[in-house]
Amino acid sequence: MVGVSILAAAVLAQIPVTPDSADGSDGRIYLWVALGVGVLALVAALMLARSVIASDTGTPEMRAISDAIREGAEAFLRRQYKTIGAIALALAVVVFFGYKLSPRTEPFASKTVISFLVGAVCSGLAGFTGMYCSIRANIRTASAARTSLNKALQMALRGGAVTGLVVVALSLLGVGSLFLFFGGLEHPEAVPYQLVGFGFGASLVALFAQLGGGIYTKAADVGADLVGKVEAGIPEDDPRNPAVIADLVGDNVGDCAGRGADIFESTAAENVGAMILGAALFPVFGVKGILFPLIVLAINLIASIVGVFVVSTREDEDPMDALNKGFYVTSALALAGFAGAVYTMLNGPLVKPLWLLACGVVGLITSFLFVWITEYYTESRYRPVQSIATASLTGPATNIISGLAVGMETPAMPVVAISAALLLSYYFGVQGLAGVSGISDYAKGIYGTAIATMGMLSCAAYILAMDTFGPITDNAGGIIEMSNQPDAIRERTDKLDSAGNTTKALTKGYAVGSASLAAFLLFSAYLEEIKVIVTAKVAAAGGYMPVGWSFTNINLAQVPVFVGALLGATLTFLFSSLAIKAVGRTAQMVVQDVRNQFKENPGIMAGTSKPDYARCVNIVTGAALKEMVLPGALVVGLPVVVGLIFRHFSASYQANATVYAPGAILPVPAIGGVPVNLAGAEAVAGLLMVGTIAGVLLAMLMNNGGGAWDNAKKYIETGKYGGKKSEAHKAAVVGDTVGDPFKDTAGPSLHVLIKLLATITLVLAPLFV
Amino acid sequence: MVGVSILAAAVLAQIPVTPDSADGSDGRIYLWVALGVGVLALVAALMLARSVIASDTGTPEMRAISDAIREGAEAFLRRQYKTIGAIALALAVVVFFGYKLSPRTEPFASKTVISFLVGAVCSGLAGFTGMYCSIRANIRTASAARTSLNKALQMALRGGAVTGLVVVALSLLGVGSLFLFFGGLEHPEAVPYQLVGFGFGASLVALFAQLGGGIYTKAADVGADLVGKVEAGIPEDDPRNPAVIADLVGDNVGDCAGRGADIFESTAAENVGAMILGAALFPVFGVKGILFPLIVLAINLIASIVGVFVVSTREDEDPMDALNKGFYVTSALALAGFAGAVYTMLNGPLVKPLWLLACGVVGLITSFLFVWITEYYTESRYRPVQSIATASLTGPATNIISGLAVGMETPAMPVVAISAALLLSYYFGVQGLAGVSGISDYAKGIYGTAIATMGMLSCAAYILAMDTFGPITDNAGGIIEMSNQPDAIRERTDKLDSAGNTTKALTKGYAVGSASLAAFLLFSAYLEEIKVIVTAKVAAAGGYMPVGWSFTNINLAQVPVFVGALLGATLTFLFSSLAIKAVGRTAQMVVQDVRNQFKENPGIMAGTSKPDYARCVNIVTGAALKEMVLPGALVVGLPVVVGLIFRHFSASYQANATVYAPGAILPVPAIGGVPVNLAGAEAVAGLLMVGTIAGVLLAMLMNNGGGAWDNAKKYIETGKYGGKKSEAHKAAVVGDTVGDPFKDTAGPSLHVLIKLLATITLVLAPLFV
């Protein structure tokens, strides 16, 4: 990509620049600072992990259960990474030879594949480390719960913090060291385009991790319930159920490893995207604009470490209050750091940094709004959950209807919040850079939305720590339950478990929010990438490149773009359908195996002999991994197919076949005298943008609808409408079961899908022109 | 709008025209032919209605039930039309003064309001007539079933044909006579823009008719079931249930009146849209291109009358085969007529009509594909329904999960079909008009998609007859059941009822298909409208209008357009949520009233005294009408709010603020030296386009998912998986109940919503610039 970037720089060089920032030398220090903080955060995570692992592990009985969970989870991850590794290697070969095929992309083949593989390995490592720690923290949390609520809370949060810190630090170190390695300090404005493979690798692994883990966790859960509670009539988490360990394993592989990979690729993709936009503004901020996202990540790490350590609770306090205190401390520190970074890095004689800081504040406020809206829709003290509980009185049908109605209502408020955030941060961006000439208002505004996204992500590590807190406390509760500890201890873990359910729901809201706010950042990075490719192509063919030409027009009134949009939206529906069906099929395998075990060994139900937990774990593992391939392949394949087909569409499919060039109009397919057909690139952009819209809405429907069903059941269990065992409770259990694959398989996988679409189109952009 | 149209004509006049078609005189005959056929079709419908009404009405017992249904349905329609009339009048005042406010739109105020009111009245009339006949055909069908299957089939289909013919004929006569009245024979190329109010009026009434009727029918159905079957333990259609008549009334007001208004506004909106595109191609086809859609409707009427009269069946035949035979005859005749119309009307020295005919064939094939795909997803012999039935074995939760998975899968195949149809008809349009100069490829291609839409609609009257056949046979079955007729007769009506369920599902598939294929036609009409408005504005301000300027760029990469798109998609989710919740709340009122009646009058359950059917009908009527207002207002209000807010957004929100003008580039907001801000118009276009995509997908999910649940229950009732009263059946009943508001309230209302968005934006376009 060196050729491309030199050309891009040549084009950009025609724009008047602010003199003090045009070379990279003055920004070198920021890269070293960011990398240094990244290394320190890893060290901090290691120390945290050691202190967690050094803690007491309770009774031998507890250890036996915990060991079974650990073995199952590690076995799943090993096999899952083998499958994902094979897929990633195959894709690496495809990308490599795809790039090699054309003389235009040939020089960038190795760098793209290297960053792809580094991204994939880092993503896998992030997921693995997170789970490694959480499957060890669960038993220590259970053991600490025997002493005090505060000790258990801190143990679980610190176990979660390992994941949060490792994920964000790996993202920072991965992007930062590739930037360094690819010569970022020499050609800072060119290197960001070479990092797109990193985001793609990260989101590819994340999609399969989230999807495979999501299928595993819900298939084990639903299967164990169907055959245990419904058929055999034994309670949840009963040790006689052969699927009970698979169920507890599921919490770890779905929530820990899956969500870790999800947030890893969020920070990775949005970082690379923001660096590309920073490169487009190189004349204004120099290398500092490119390194700004890395510094925000560094601030994020420091703020989150402090946040984790201020959390403590009293015995009679709601643990959620303590966790929120940590969140507010983290936010305040992050905001202060963010302000400092904006004033030192995004400054200049013609820049008004206050406006740019306002963009970041918009992002931070948006993350708060998303958290509050998610709370409103999923907590039992508000109308939505209560309406589902009331509807349960008239049976499962009305429970389901009412839950779906709540689910379909949920996107409205967040969409208004996101719309306001986009419009405001765009406006603030334009205002902040109003004095800078030679850059279009559009580029300024889009950079504003990128800063807002950075602002929203500036607490990511703490949020992730809170999220991983969920499965740790859930497992701790299960261990306490299965090892028959006294009630007082169980009360403590129940309190923590309930807080964990809330944090899990909030994190999903946060993940969707960041995905939708980041949408523009990622679209724009794709448009920038296409622009650089076209510039290179025209120059290579000896054509003249119109000054100021940009690729910023995705015309939905063109049939190929509309068809791409239609296919993108449909993709999200079909993907959800496949994911949900995969859960159903895998759950059937669990049911079958448990039935077989009961038949082969009657001693299990009698309590005289132990069931074969490992066999059940094995079966779910194999089935979940097989089932994740088809939906995953669909997401990877569709944009490629659309791009490759539509690139052959004639110009007569283009409504307004013109490009911007002051003083001259040039009908596509001739830019600067060179034939360039953008139909493929535009159709893919339509797919990406409308796929994102549909994906965000469906994800909110599923996450919040599922959460509301879950909590409506729990609300009834507190004694409302007849409490447990009432008809209303039975109806609410149906809703909860329907919500499971919604909120833990399809919904979270859709976040990743959105970003995978963005990164795959970034990497394969050269093939679409 | 005279001013606008003269200006538009002046612009168009600069394009070289084929000499023999530039004046309107030679096309006058086609208008008279179309109007003549419309009048004849009305006469035919009248004769059909009289022959149906003159038939035998069975026993006094049957008449008593039928009278109760008729009274309830007529009472609902009277009150509904009062409510809708008040809303329509209020909107007429808003539109009138909205237009009067600006000197630019002031001259068109009266004509727009007149066509709006004519459209609304015709739509109401179409719904009323259809229902008038079907609530009389039901008892005659029941009575005819006592003689033979063939007599009953013909009675029901002819009763349905009255609706089909009246709806299509009113659409033709309404548009045709307004065209004549507004001086279409003098300024044919200008008048279509003045008819946009007609489509708006039609779809406004259709939305409320479908929504109110849909809420009514499902609230009565669900409420009657909940309180009758579940609480009181009495069978369906038991005369002791005070809600049973309300349930039968619901079939008529939802399926007949609602669907009639839906198809009426489809033909109306698509006609007006196609005429506007015909006006844009005035230089090529003259007045004949503008009148082509009216002639297609006339062909439609003739072909459908023949089709209805060839239908007959033997006692041992599947009635569906007979209905299909009629459909194939209608299609063949329509195709022949269509070919004749293309060769005589869309012809010229430079035109290749074979390509244009191919567009029509694409449309016809698409309608077949949609029917087949709908069959695949909703008939019990295929995998989807069977998978739901199998999932019912493990309880209601797996039934629901599996049904939702099927629903989310359903859009994939239809979307591929629609994509292919759009791309092909666009290509054929470009090829067919390749020899014509001065018209852009884009305009040619879009006209191709318009011809395809006409092709798809060329059997509309027959399809609607088949659809109305559904509620007539459903009611006939209910009357036979409640009046205790012998089993042999009941077998006949069961056969007809089953065919009726299939035709109802197919019509919904057809309605979604036509809505999605017509999307481009309606978008383009909106873009044309904006172009004409801008042209007028620039000319009025004394600016020069760039030759060949067109408004065909809806750039999704602009923040306002993206926000519009996001809001459009969210609107469809929120609307569905509100519609479903309305059903739930209204059903609760039914439950409450039935409980009260049982308490007040213990003789009802003992069978010694009659329940007060009318009181229950009254309560549902009032509640349904109240509930339809909020979702309806949302659909009408959102595009207006978006358009009015974004029209004030500065040009810095526009990515590529350029317009097409050969030889010159003009940044918006200055076109021809006059400031024009298109941000509002573009944001509304984004809302419209992506709202259409999301609406189409959600409608397919709900219609087909609901149909599949329904038929999975029926499949189990045939004795599979334990048959009636088994646990699997109980689970399938839950799925069926959930599917009810999906397939009969939210799903069908979404079709109308899509078109209402298109027509409201057409009418209010002048306010957005």
Side-chain angles (χ1 to χ4, degrees), chain B residues 426-450:
Chain B
Y426 185 100
Y427 179 74
F428 293 162
V430 172
Q431 294 304 314
L433 299 170
V436 179
S437 59
I439 306 272
S440 71
D441 275 358
Y442 181 70
K444 294 171 185 173
I446 293 296
Y447 197 65
T449 69

Short mmCIF file of all heavy atoms in Angstrom, two decimals, chain B residues 426-450:
data_model
loop_
_atom_site.label_atom_id
_atom_site.label_comp_id
_atom_site.label_asym_id
_atom_site.label_seq_id
_atom_site.Cartn_x
_atom_site.Cartn_y
_atom_site.Cartn_z
N TYR B 426 -35.11 -3.01 -14.95
CA TYR B 426 -34.34 -1.78 -15.20
C TYR B 426 -33.55 -1.93 -16.49
O TYR B 426 -33.58 -1.08 -17.38
CB TYR B 426 -33.40 -1.54 -14.02
CG TYR B 426 -32.63 -0.25 -14.05
CD1 TYR B 426 -33.04 0.85 -13.32
CD2 TYR B 426 -31.46 -0.13 -14.79
CE1 TYR B 426 -32.33 2.03 -13.33
CE2 TYR B 426 -30.73 1.06 -14.81
CZ TYR B 426 -31.16 2.13 -14.07
OH TYR B 426 -30.45 3.30 -14.08
N TYR B 427 -32.84 -3.09 -16.61
CA TYR B 427 -32.01 -3.33 -17.78
C TYR B 427 -32.85 -3.38 -19.05
O TYR B 427 -32.52 -2.77 -20.07
CB TYR B 427 -31.26 -4.65 -17.58
CG TYR B 427 -30.38 -5.04 -18.73
CD1 TYR B 427 -29.16 -4.39 -18.95
CD2 TYR B 427 -30.74 -6.06 -19.60
CE1 TYR B 427 -28.34 -4.75 -20.00
CE2 TYR B 427 -29.93 -6.42 -20.66
CZ TYR B 427 -28.74 -5.77 -20.86
OH TYR B 427 -27.93 -6.12 -21.91
N PHE B 428 -34.00 -4.07 -18.98
CA PHE B 428 -34.87 -4.17 -20.15
C PHE B 428 -35.40 -2.79 -20.54
O PHE B 428 -35.54 -2.48 -21.72
CB PHE B 428 -36.04 -5.12 -19.87
CG PHE B 428 -35.65 -6.55 -19.68
CD1 PHE B 428 -36.51 -7.46 -19.07
CD2 PHE B 428 -34.40 -7.02 -20.11
CE1 PHE B 428 -36.15 -8.79 -18.89
CE2 PHE B 428 -34.03 -8.35 -19.93
CZ PHE B 428 -34.91 -9.23 -19.32
N GLY B 429 -35.71 -1.98 -19.53
CA GLY B 429 -36.17 -0.62 -19.81
C GLY B 429 -35.12 0.18 -20.55
O GLY B 429 -35.41 0.87 -21.55
N VAL B 430 -33.87 0.08 -20.10
CA VAL B 430 -32.78 0.80 -20.77
C VAL B 430 -32.63 0.30 -22.20
O VAL B 430 -32.50 1.09 -23.14
CB VAL B 430 -31.46 0.62 -19.99
CG1 VAL B 430 -30.29 1.19 -20.77
CG2 VAL B 430 -31.55 1.28 -18.62
N GLN B 431 -32.70 -1.02 -22.38
CA GLN B 431 -32.55 -1.59 -23.73
C GLN B 431 -33.70 -1.17 -24.63
O GLN B 431 -33.49 -0.80 -25.79
CB GLN B 431 -32.52 -3.12 -23.66
CG GLN B 431 -31.30 -3.69 -22.96
CD GLN B 431 -30.01 -3.23 -23.57
OE1 GLN B 431 -29.85 -3.23 -24.79
NE2 GLN B 431 -29.08 -2.77 -22.75
N GLY B 432 -34.92 -1.22 -24.11
CA GLY B 432 -36.09 -0.91 -24.92
C GLY B 432 -36.07 0.53 -25.41
O GLY B 432 -36.61 0.84 -26.48
N LEU B 433 -35.46 1.42 -24.64
CA LEU B 433 -35.45 2.85 -25.01
C LEU B 433 -34.06 3.30 -25.41
O LEU B 433 -33.79 4.52 -25.45
CB LEU B 433 -35.97 3.68 -23.83
CG LEU B 433 -37.40 3.36 -23.39
CD1 LEU B 433 -37.75 4.05 -22.09
CD2 LEU B 433 -38.39 3.79 -24.47
N ALA B 434 -33.18 2.32 -25.73
CA ALA B 434 -31.78 2.67 -26.01
C ALA B 434 -31.67 3.66 -27.16
O ALA B 434 -30.78 4.53 -27.17
CB ALA B 434 -30.98 1.41 -26.32
N GLY B 435 -32.60 3.56 -28.14
CA GLY B 435 -32.50 4.42 -29.30
C GLY B 435 -32.94 5.86 -29.04
O GLY B 435 -32.68 6.75 -29.85
N VAL B 436 -33.62 6.10 -27.92
CA VAL B 436 -34.18 7.43 -27.65
C VAL B 436 -33.09 8.31 -27.04
O VAL B 436 -32.47 7.93 -26.04
CB VAL B 436 -35.37 7.32 -26.68
CG1 VAL B 436 -35.94 8.67 -26.38
CG2 VAL B 436 -36.42 6.38 -27.23
N SER B 437 -32.88 9.45 -27.61
CA SER B 437 -31.85 10.33 -27.05
C SER B 437 -32.50 11.40 -26.19
O SER B 437 -33.70 11.63 -26.25
CB SER B 437 -31.05 10.97 -28.18
OG SER B 437 -31.93 11.71 -28.99
N GLY B 438 -31.70 12.05 -25.35
CA GLY B 438 -32.20 13.14 -24.53
C GLY B 438 -32.84 12.69 -23.23
O GLY B 438 -33.27 13.51 -22.43
N ILE B 439 -32.94 11.39 -23.02
CA ILE B 439 -33.48 10.86 -21.77
C ILE B 439 -32.36 10.06 -21.12
O ILE B 439 -31.69 9.27 -21.79
CB ILE B 439 -34.67 9.91 -22.03
CG1 ILE B 439 -35.74 10.58 -22.88
CG2 ILE B 439 -35.24 9.37 -20.73
CD1 ILE B 439 -36.78 11.36 -22.12
N SER B 440 -32.16 10.23 -19.83
CA SER B 440 -31.04 9.52 -19.18
C SER B 440 -31.35 8.03 -19.06
O SER B 440 -32.51 7.62 -19.03
CB SER B 440 -30.79 10.10 -17.79
OG SER B 440 -31.85 9.72 -16.94
N ASP B 441 -30.28 7.23 -19.05
CA ASP B 441 -30.44 5.80 -18.84
C ASP B 441 -31.24 5.53 -17.57
O ASP B 441 -32.04 4.61 -17.50
CB ASP B 441 -29.07 5.11 -18.70
CG ASP B 441 -28.49 4.78 -20.07
OD1 ASP B 441 -29.17 5.06 -21.08
OD2 ASP B 441 -27.36 4.28 -20.11
N TYR B 442 -31.01 6.36 -16.56
CA TYR B 442 -31.67 6.16 -15.29
C TYR B 442 -33.19 6.25 -15.45
O TYR B 442 -33.94 5.38 -14.99
CB TYR B 442 -31.18 7.20 -14.29
CG TYR B 442 -31.78 7.07 -12.91
CD1 TYR B 442 -31.45 6.00 -12.10
CD2 TYR B 442 -32.68 8.02 -12.43
CE1 TYR B 442 -32.00 5.87 -10.84
CE2 TYR B 442 -33.24 7.90 -11.18
CZ TYR B 442 -32.89 6.82 -10.38
OH TYR B 442 -33.44 6.69 -9.14
N ALA B 443 -33.65 7.31 -16.15
CA ALA B 443 -35.09 7.48 -16.35
C ALA B 443 -35.65 6.31 -17.13
O ALA B 443 -36.76 5.82 -16.85
CB ALA B 443 -35.36 8.80 -17.07
N LYS B 444 -34.90 5.82 -18.12
CA LYS B 444 -35.37 4.68 -18.91
C LYS B 444 -35.49 3.43 -18.03
O LYS B 444 -36.48 2.69 -18.10
CB LYS B 444 -34.38 4.39 -20.05
CG LYS B 444 -34.30 5.50 -21.09
CD LYS B 444 -33.14 5.24 -22.06
CE LYS B 444 -33.00 6.41 -23.03
NZ LYS B 444 -31.79 6.27 -23.87
N GLY B 445 -34.47 3.19 -17.24
CA GLY B 445 -34.47 1.99 -16.40
C GLY B 445 -35.60 2.03 -15.39
O GLY B 445 -36.31 1.04 -15.19
N ILE B 446 -35.78 3.19 -14.76
CA ILE B 446 -36.84 3.30 -13.76
C ILE B 446 -38.21 3.10 -14.40
O ILE B 446 -39.10 2.46 -13.82
CB ILE B 446 -36.77 4.69 -13.06
CG1 ILE B 446 -35.51 4.80 -12.22
CG2 ILE B 446 -37.99 4.93 -12.21
CD1 ILE B 446 -35.42 3.84 -11.07
N TYR B 447 -38.35 3.58 -15.65
CA TYR B 447 -39.63 3.34 -16.32
C TYR B 447 -39.83 1.84 -16.55
O TYR B 447 -40.96 1.34 -16.46
CB TYR B 447 -39.70 4.12 -17.65
CG TYR B 447 -41.12 4.24 -18.16
CD1 TYR B 447 -42.06 4.97 -17.44
CD2 TYR B 447 -41.53 3.61 -19.33
CE1 TYR B 447 -43.36 5.06 -17.87
CE2 TYR B 447 -42.84 3.69 -19.76
CZ TYR B 447 -43.77 4.42 -19.03
OH TYR B 447 -45.07 4.50 -19.46
N GLY B 448 -38.73 1.13 -16.80
CA GLY B 448 -38.81 -0.34 -16.92
C GLY B 448 -39.37 -0.97 -15.65
O GLY B 448 -40.25 -1.84 -15.71
N THR B 449 -38.89 -0.49 -14.49
CA THR B 449 -39.42 -1.07 -13.24
C THR B 449 -40.91 -0.70 -13.06
O THR B 449 -41.68 -1.48 -12.50
CB THR B 449 -38.64 -0.62 -11.99
OG1 THR B 449 -38.87 0.76 -11.76
CG2 THR B 449 -37.14 -0.85 -12.16
N ALA B 450 -41.29 0.47 -13.57
CA ALA B 450 -42.71 0.86 -13.48
C ALA B 450 -43.56 -0.06 -14.33
O ALA B 450 -44.65 -0.48 -13.91
CB ALA B 450 -42.88 2.32 -13.91
#
